[in-house]
Amino acid sequence: GDSVTQMEGPVTLSEEAFLTINCTYTATGYPSLFWYVQYPGEGLQLLLKATKADDKGSNKGFEATYRKETTSFHLEKGSVQVSDSAVYFCALRRAQKLVFGQGTRLTINP
Amino acid sequence: EAGVAQSPRYKIIEKRQSVAFWCNPISGHATLYWYQQILGQGPKLLIQFQNNGVVDDSQLPKDRFSAERLKGVDSTLKIQPAKLEDSAVYLCASSQNGPGETQYFGPGTRLLVL
C-alpha cells in the first residue's frame, strides 16, 4: 500500500543553519505530495504542496521539489529561525486519502 | 475566518469507560475527517464524511468507535469501551468541496486511557 518515510528525528540546528528533512514515498501512480507543520499546541497546517512531477512547492522560505525518479519530496530551507521549531509531516494524497509520514521534530537553538 | 474547533482539548479516562469528542468544521466545508495520531506516528484517517454521508470508514474500529455528522455540520466521535491503546490525539479536519481540496486541521483532543 501507499506509504511515506521521513528521516528520523529529532533534528537540532543552530539559527541560520541550512535545513534538509528527507521524505520518500511509495505509491502507484502519481500522488500529490505535501508538507504539513505542527507548532506546539496547534493543529497541523499546510506548509507547501506539489501536484505533479518536477513541481516545486514553496512557502515561508521552505521549498520541496517533487522528484518522480527518486520518489522523494525533501524539505529544505536556507536559513532557519527559532520560530521554525515544530514537527514536520510529509504526506501524499491518492485515491482521496492523505497518508502521513511519522513526523520529524525540529528544534532551532538561538 | 474561524478555524476548525474541537473539544475537549484533553481527556483522561479509565479503560472500559466511554468518551466522546466534538468537532465544528469551518463554515461551508462539505468534507469532514477524523484522524488518530498516536505518539511518534503520523495521523491516520479514521473516517471521512461528505456532507452527512460516510465516504470512507475502512480504518475505523467499528466494534468500539462510532461517528456521526449532524445535519452535515458538527460531528462527534465516540469510543465505547476505551482501551489503553486508544491513547492518542484525535484530530478533526475539514475541506471545502471535496477530498482534493486543502484540509484544515483543528488543534486536536488529547486522550489518555489509564
Side-chain angles (χ1 to χ4, degrees):
Chain A
D2 298 342
S3 66
V4 175
T5 302
Q6 295 181 227
M7 67 185 288
E8 293 275 338
V11 174
T12 302
L13 297 172
S14 297
E15 205 166 21
E16 299 183 1
F18 183 85
L19 168 71
T20 300
I21 301 178
N22 290 339
C23 170
T24 57
Y25 67 90
T26 301
T28 55
Y30 304 106
S32 296
L33 301 174
F34 302 82
W35 278 99
Y36 279 82
V37 58
Q38 188 172 34
Y39 298 103
E42 299 183 16
L44 276 77
Q45 301 174 25
L46 178 64
L47 181 59
L48 54 84
K49 67 179 181 181
T51 57
K52 60 183 187 296
D54 300 324
D55 267 2
K56 178 186 282 187
S58 62
N59 186 26
K60 298 182 181 180
F62 291 90
E63 293 183 340
T65 301
Y66 191 139
R67 301 287 188 200
K68 183 180 65 173
E69 61 277 9
T70 55
T71 61
S72 65
F73 193 55
H74 305 321
L75 183 67
E76 297 182 337
K77 186 174 185 182
S79 176
V80 293
Q81 306 300 314
V82 172
S83 57
D84 294 326
S85 298
V87 181
Y88 292 80
F89 292 91
C90 185
L92 66 82
R93 185 179 67 211
R94 199 179 70 83
Q96 303 181 349
K97 278 186 183 177
L98 273 178
V99 175
F100 287 88
Q102 76 273 29
T104 302
R105 181 175 298 278
L106 173 67
T107 300
I108 307 300
N109 294 320
Chain B
E1 179 183 77
V4 177
Q6 290 187 247
S7 66
R9 292 295 306 276
Y10 305 93
K11 190 74 177 179
I12 300 174
I13 62 172
E14 295 187 350
K15 60 184 179 184
R16 292 187 290 273
Q17 286 187 323
S18 62
V19 64
F21 313 126
W22 174 82
C23 172
N24 180 234
I26 293 173
S27 177
H29 280 198
T31 308
L32 185 146
Y33 313 79
W34 283 102
Y35 290 85
Q36 180 191 57
Q37 185 179 8
I38 293 172
L39 187 64
Q41 299 180 20
K44 182 185 80 172
L45 180 68
L46 292 176
I47 189 168
Q48 175 186 323
F49 292 93
Q50 181 80 15
N51 296 308
N52 60 353
V54 175
V55 174
D56 184 349
D57 63 357
S58 58
Q59 298 194 85
L60 186 73
K62 298 180 186 63
D63 58 333
R64 298 183 301 105
F65 286 65
S66 64
E68 61 179 1
R69 188 173 184 196
L70 306 172
K71 298 181 182 178
V73 182
D74 292 5
S75 178
T76 55
L77 177 70
K78 297 179 181 178
I79 308 175
Q80 181 178 12
K83 293 185 175 181
L84 298 177
E85 59 262 36
D86 298 331
S87 295
V89 177
Y90 291 85
L91 297 168
C92 180
S94 68
S95 63
Q96 190 163 18
N97 291 323
E101 300 280 342
T102 296
Q103 295 185 25
Y104 295 87
F105 285 80
T109 296
R110 187 175 298 274
L111 173 67
L112 179 61
V113 182
L114 302 175

